[in-house]
């Protein structure tokens, strides 16, 4: 066979791929085995770090929460109540950030699903935050509670997803004030994996904490020693922290839970048009948020969130999965490691449908995250349309990509067995390896088995209906829902959770 | 703005992207600025290298060409004429491989398009070798000469493609015996870039050399000092070299042209089922081919080709862009650097249509190539369906991905200007950067401008017809063809080339 002349010959080979059984890699978190890609020098990282400290010291942040301002003032920072401004003495910021631990364990209701958040690990998280849901059958629409539950069932079913990211999309058929309670109860019932709560305001955080305590049979004090939550807190870039975010951050940190401080730094809009400037701003805002968590509870776990991308300067539209996005993720990893903290990145695209663009932008984002050695990858599966949409098909497409990224991190074995000199001696020139003992002993587990990819030759693919990746993804999520089994939960815990939700709904809505 | 709550707000923003003008990055080859990703240790590379030498010494290659066997015998290797077997004394192989230069310059008819083949550079090459052509309008079909010329025009028009890869697909409406002459004449006329000839048999090589000499106004001796060709030579794995390949290799090497020795090592079929074994076999076959080139002409330029992938063990179908493919590319880069030689990799997918799978498999392959620091990436644009098809739309989709890969290699500037402290001071908390002097001075060139990607928000995208990436690619290649301008060629050279082709056709076909 050759690259050129084999074409006609290979055409004849018919593939007889079995249909029906879905291939998944077993549950396994990812361990990085090589050094991260560091695209700027240690000196340049120091320049960005120093610039961030200068931003904090000279410009500071506007902090809308009086409680947060009081916390900063109590820690010795310069607070101006009139302008709501806080300025940060650099040595003090650095000392506070240094209190955050480099690694911690996140607890799930199934201990086999506990997660290590650490420099050499990666955790893949399903999408959280979109307003809409979308599938190939019904298009983009407001999501219902039942649809949200289906999305959660799929996140539970996909072994490559290590953490659930906050509901996928909002259940807009439930009242806004207590929607988070419906979500938390569904997350606990439908998943035995770790899940993310919402972090807007104190009440969303407190309800999550109370329900997690019931879930694990602990009180809140014990919960603080066994963190269960990573909660995304976006600063309001540039250089502002609003009340709901500050409250969510403080409530989570007070209870020993991990906040993922993630500035929303779109270069050219909320941040300087130069990536170095946007990253300096990201670094400043992240350090301020992390410092607040450490004031509230020294040693509270945190993650350093990087979300820097850019806007299209002609239209203002945000861009995702671009070369700038890749570089920002790689440098953000360097900045997080400069602080000795775990790093959060994302899998993002601006595409509105599951076409080639959705895949290549997501791949760029994922490779940026993995070469930058992100330790938690948010929106790793299901994100579409700049994050406004959670797509059922994208969930499956991303799961395939994540499985491949994870498999590519597995060590390549080089030893006498794998060098296979005996097999080569047996086969010799112009033979083939299909029937050798070396092959027969290994063929079942030898290679990555795809969940979604179709490797049929063209003629078979045409005969079988020219099914695209998006159409196959549609079939796969339906099959997974059919096969889904709800993980068992102690009925007493289930009842206690239901009681808590009923009581809280009664408080909000009345009888 | 936040990740979660911004959804509804961002929905309102309408993007007014201009249509009509196509964005391309200007012609520029790629320079690697970071260390390659080395996923196995130097010791493990030595193990693979030693295993390869053992394969060559103990098993050897079957060499079907008597001329090649004579060359090997003349260089002191052990040749068995009965079995057509050649065994390679290890020190002698290593000494021959060491004669190949680590870098060289490839000449194009436009000197501005000359290419450096070297360790810190990457050259992107359009697809070569498919049997079929395909577009969204007419589907997959046998390609005609006119269609092949359109494909060449597009390769010329796409600035990110540095080299043309051998015609894209075959012009099946031209006689097989002289089809290569029609191709070479079209390559010279329609492109001013460097192009690849076919390397099957002596005559295809000699015609390419004669026509390149006319193109540059040189004789064959001078041509040997200014290489113009990189010519893919596949060994017939396992461990065999056939007559057309050996003849092509020897003819090219004799004239100082670069052969890309590329074993066709599909793990589980023509190679051991373990990647380390497949790579040892690849390394053995590559060294044997490179040694032959050095026997023919010591110091002749060569590239180390890595094409190791695997088959689906259930069906025998070849897989591309998988985790195994990525790792094989990364280790192949290490093996090439162990020999001090430039490394060739590829952008490949098994997908039969331009869906998400085509994009994510191609991205995996490209990231494998780029993190492995390939110096020449074959099939970088246009490959579909396991290499049986050259797709007009994939050509555009890949060009976008290549532009992004190239842009991600650009250095990220960290200095006083880019850290933008003055802009941050000017804007302050809760402001925006759209109108600042720092932004205004930079907005036109600030960010990667896509050729293909659509960043419209969902509502605009729907209003504009829900056009997918593949459909946009269809529009773009048609627009590029409309705008194509044939690069000027000295009429005397054009006439001499036409004469050569006419004379050769007359020899083959008669009057």
């Amino acid at each position: 066979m050759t690259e050129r002349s084999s074409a006609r010959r290979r055409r004849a080979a018919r593939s007889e791929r079995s249909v029906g059984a879905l291939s998944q890699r077993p549950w396994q978190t990812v361990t990085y085995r090589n050094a991260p890609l560091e695209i700027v020098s240690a000196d340049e990282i120091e320049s960005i770090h120093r610039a961030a400290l200068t931003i904090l010291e000279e410009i500071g942040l506007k902090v809308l929460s009086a409680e947060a301002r009081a916390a900063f003032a109590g820690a010795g920072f310069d607070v101006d109540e009139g302008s709501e401004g806080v300025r940060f003495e650099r040595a003090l910021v650095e000392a506070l950030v240094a209190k955050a631990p480099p690694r911690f364990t996140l607890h799930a209701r199934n201990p086999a699903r506990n997660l290590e958040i650490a420099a050499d690990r990666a955790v893949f998280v399903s999408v959280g935050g979109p307003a809409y849901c979308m599938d190939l059958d019904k298009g983009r629409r407001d999501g219902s509670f039942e649809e949200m539950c289906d999305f959660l069932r799929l996140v539970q079913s996909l072994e490559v997803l290590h953490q659930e990211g906050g509901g996928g999309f909002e259940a807009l058929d439930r009242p806004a004030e207590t929607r988070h309670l419906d979500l938390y109860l569904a997350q606990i019932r439908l998943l035995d994996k770790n899940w993310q709560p919402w972090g807007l305001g104190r009440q969303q955080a407190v309800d999550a904490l109370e329900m997690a305590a019931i879930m694990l049979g602990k009180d809140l004090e014990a919960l603080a020693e066994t963190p269960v939550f990573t909660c995304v807190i976006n600063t309001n870039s540039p250089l502002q922290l609003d009340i709901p975010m500050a409250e969510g951050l403080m409530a989570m940190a007070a209870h020993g839970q991990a906040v993922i401080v993630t500035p929303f730094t779109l270069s050219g809009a909320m941040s300087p048009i130069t990536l170095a400037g946007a990253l300096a701003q990201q670094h400043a805002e992240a350090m301020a948020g992390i410092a607040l968590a450490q004031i509230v509870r020294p040693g509270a776990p945190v993650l350093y969130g990087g979300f820097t991308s850019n806007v299209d300067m002609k239209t203002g539209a945000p861009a995702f999965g671009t070369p700038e996005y890749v570089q920002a993720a790689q440098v953000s990893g360097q900045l997080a490691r400069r602080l000795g903290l775990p790093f959060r990145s994302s899998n993002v695209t601006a595409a509105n449908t599951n076409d080639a663009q959705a895949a290549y932008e997501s791949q760029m984002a994922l490779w940026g995250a993995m070469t930058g050695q992100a330790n938690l990858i948010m929106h790793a599966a299901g994100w579409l349309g700049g994050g406004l949409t959670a797509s059922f098909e994208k969930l499956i497409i991303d799961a395939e990509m994540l499985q491949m990224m994870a498999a590519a991190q597995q060590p390549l074995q080089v030893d006498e067995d794998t060098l296979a000199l005996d097999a080569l001696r047996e086969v010799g020139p112009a033979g083939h390896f299909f029937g050798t003992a070396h092959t027969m002993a290994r063929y079942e587990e030898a290679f990555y088995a795809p969940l979604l990819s179709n490797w049929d030759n063209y003629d078979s693919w045409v005969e079988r209906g020219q099914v695209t990746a998006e159409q196959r993804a549609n079939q796969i999520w339906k099959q997974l829902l059919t096969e889904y089994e709800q993980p068992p939960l102690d009925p007493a815990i289930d009842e206690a959770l239901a009681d808590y939700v009923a009581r809280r709904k009664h408080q909000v809505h009345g009888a």
Side-chain angles (χ1 to χ4, degrees), chain A:
Chain A
M1 277 200 190
T2 69
E3 282 172 72
R4 194 174 300 279
S5 64
S6 63
R8 297 282 175 185
R9 216 166 346 144
R10 275 198 282 154
R11 176 190 184 185
R14 289 286 301 280
S15 68
E16 296 297 337
R17 199 175 163 67
S18 64
V19 289
L22 293 176
S23 275
Q24 289 198 57
R25 301 184 82 230
W27 166 274
Q28 191 181 0
T29 55
V30 176
T31 300
Y32 291 114
R33 293 164 206 280
N34 298 100
L37 190 55
E38 311 223 307
I39 65 165
V40 301
S41 68
D43 283 352
E44 289 169 323
I45 288 296
E46 284 309 303
S47 295
I48 297 173
H49 180 67
R50 280 196 306 271
L53 290 170
T54 301
I55 291 166
L56 288 174
E57 199 162 60
E58 290 186 20
I59 310 171
L61 255 67
K62 186 167 178 178
V63 177
L64 304 186
S65 154
E67 191 187 348
R69 287 198 304 278
F72 280 127
F77 291 112
D78 175 19
V79 174
D80 181 291
E81 283 294 325
S83 67
E84 302 179 316
V86 181
R87 293 183 195 224
F88 299 81
E89 201 260 300
R90 52 211 302 147
L92 199 47
V93 175
E94 289 193 291
L96 281 167
V97 170
K99 293 183 197 289
R103 58 187 302 150
F104 55 92
T105 302
L106 269 184
H107 296 260
R109 81 165 164 94
N110 176 352
R113 309 286 203 177
N114 287 357
L115 302 172
E116 288 300 308
I117 306 295
D120 63 340
R121 301 297 185 92
V123 162
F124 297 149
V125 190
S126 58
V127 65
Y132 303 99
C133 79
M134 179 165 156
D135 64 33
L136 207 46
D137 306 302
K138 291 188 270 182
R140 195 178 83 149
R141 59 195 185 273
D142 285 346
S144 69
F145 179 73
E146 266 318 306
E147 290 168 322
M148 191 194 75
C149 287
D150 278 346
F151 204 84
L152 294 178
R153 290 183 184 102
L154 293 171
V155 172
Q156 169 70 11
S157 300
L158 290 164
E159 297 290 344
V160 76
L161 296 178
H162 307 118
Q163 189 192 55
E164 193 282 330
F169 47 88
E170 290 199 35
L172 288 170
D173 57 349
R174 296 290 171 106
E177 302 76 14
T178 55
R179 200 175 285 157
H180 65 284
L181 295 165
D182 295 319
L183 169 64
Y184 299 162
L185 188 57
Q187 286 171 313
I188 296 172
R189 283 177 169 167
L190 300 176
L191 298 140
D192 67 354
K193 297 180 181 178
N194 189 275
W195 50 275
Q196 287 195 9
W198 291 353
L200 281 174
R202 178 171 312 282
Q203 196 56 56
Q204 287 188 356
V206 168
D207 286 330
L209 289 159
E210 295 282 2
M211 291 177 72
I214 298 169
M215 173 182 88
L216 295 180
K218 292 181 191 288
D219 59 21
L220 286 184
E221 224 164 285
L223 196 70
E225 302 303 320
T226 51
V228 294
F229 290 138
T230 44
C231 181
V232 173
I233 300 293
N234 296 126
T235 51
N236 314 89
S237 305
L239 300 174
Q240 184 169 259
L241 185 59
D242 70 20
I243 293 174
M245 287 296 178
E247 281 188 354
L249 184 156
M250 295 175 79
M252 283 292 170
H255 291 88
Q257 305 302 308
V259 290
I260 310 174
V261 184
T262 309
F264 203 78
T265 35
L266 287 179
S267 183
M270 298 92 95
S271 303
I273 194 163
T274 44
L275 269 194
L279 288 163
Q281 181 192 328
Q282 167 189 295
H283 199 60
E285 295 180 12
M287 285 197 289
I290 290 164
L292 180 55
Q294 300 309 312
I295 293 168
V296 172
R297 185 184 178 99
V302 300
L303 287 95
Y304 179 103
F307 203 78
T308 297
S309 190
N310 64 282
V311 296
D312 180 338
M313 294 308 294
K314 293 196 198 76
T315 66
F320 294 108
T322 56
E324 288 81 7
Y325 185 91
V326 170
Q327 293 191 326
Q330 290 166 333
V331 177
S332 295
Q334 293 185 256
L335 290 166
R337 288 187 293 278
R338 168 63 180 78
L339 301 180
L341 295 177
F343 164 47
R344 164 260 159 120
S345 190
S346 311
N347 168 6
V348 287
T349 171
N352 288 300
T353 189
N354 287 303
D355 61 359
Q357 180 188 338
Y360 67 66
E361 288 184 340
S362 270
Q363 275 276 325
M364 291 291 284
L366 274 177
W367 277 93
M370 300 288 287
T371 54
Q373 296 204 347
N375 309 116
L376 184 141
I377 302 184
M378 275 297 296
H379 314 305
W383 161 300
L384 204 63
L388 299 203
T389 302
S391 157
F392 280 75
E393 286 79 23
K394 184 72 168 7
L395 188 66
I396 304 301
I397 294 168
D398 284 333
E400 175 81 314
M401 297 201 290
L402 293 171
Q403 288 200 144
M404 288 166 61
M405 297 301 289
Q409 295 294 327
Q410 292 289 98
L412 191 152
Q413 301 289 348
V414 181
D415 54 33
E416 203 182 314
D417 265 6
T418 59
L419 285 168
L421 285 180
D422 285 340
L424 280 153
R425 287 184 185 103
E426 179 186 340
V427 171
H432 66 81
F433 289 78
F434 278 128
T436 65
H438 187 263
T439 300
M440 297 308 284
R442 290 168 180 81
Y443 76 97
E444 284 181 338
E445 303 289 325
F447 302 123
Y448 176 72
L451 169 66
L452 171 70
S453 295
N454 178 289
W455 297 342
D456 282 346
N457 65 49
Y458 184 81
D459 294 332
S460 302
W461 178 76
V462 169
E463 273 169 40
R464 290 169 187 168
Q466 310 202 31
V467 184
T468 66
E470 188 180 30
Q471 292 165 333
R472 291 194 302 276
N474 181 271
Q475 297 164 0
I476 289 169
W477 69 255
K478 288 173 182 169
Q479 183 174 344
L480 285 174
L481 280 185
T482 309
E483 295 170 0
Y484 168 82
E485 288 179 29
Q486 190 165 322
L489 178 64
D490 181 336
I493 291 176
D494 191 290
E495 199 185 324
L497 288 165
D499 285 351
Y500 180 87
V501 169
R503 193 166 68 250
R504 286 279 297 114
K505 284 189 176 180
H506 186 81
Q507 283 174 8
V508 175
H509 302 298

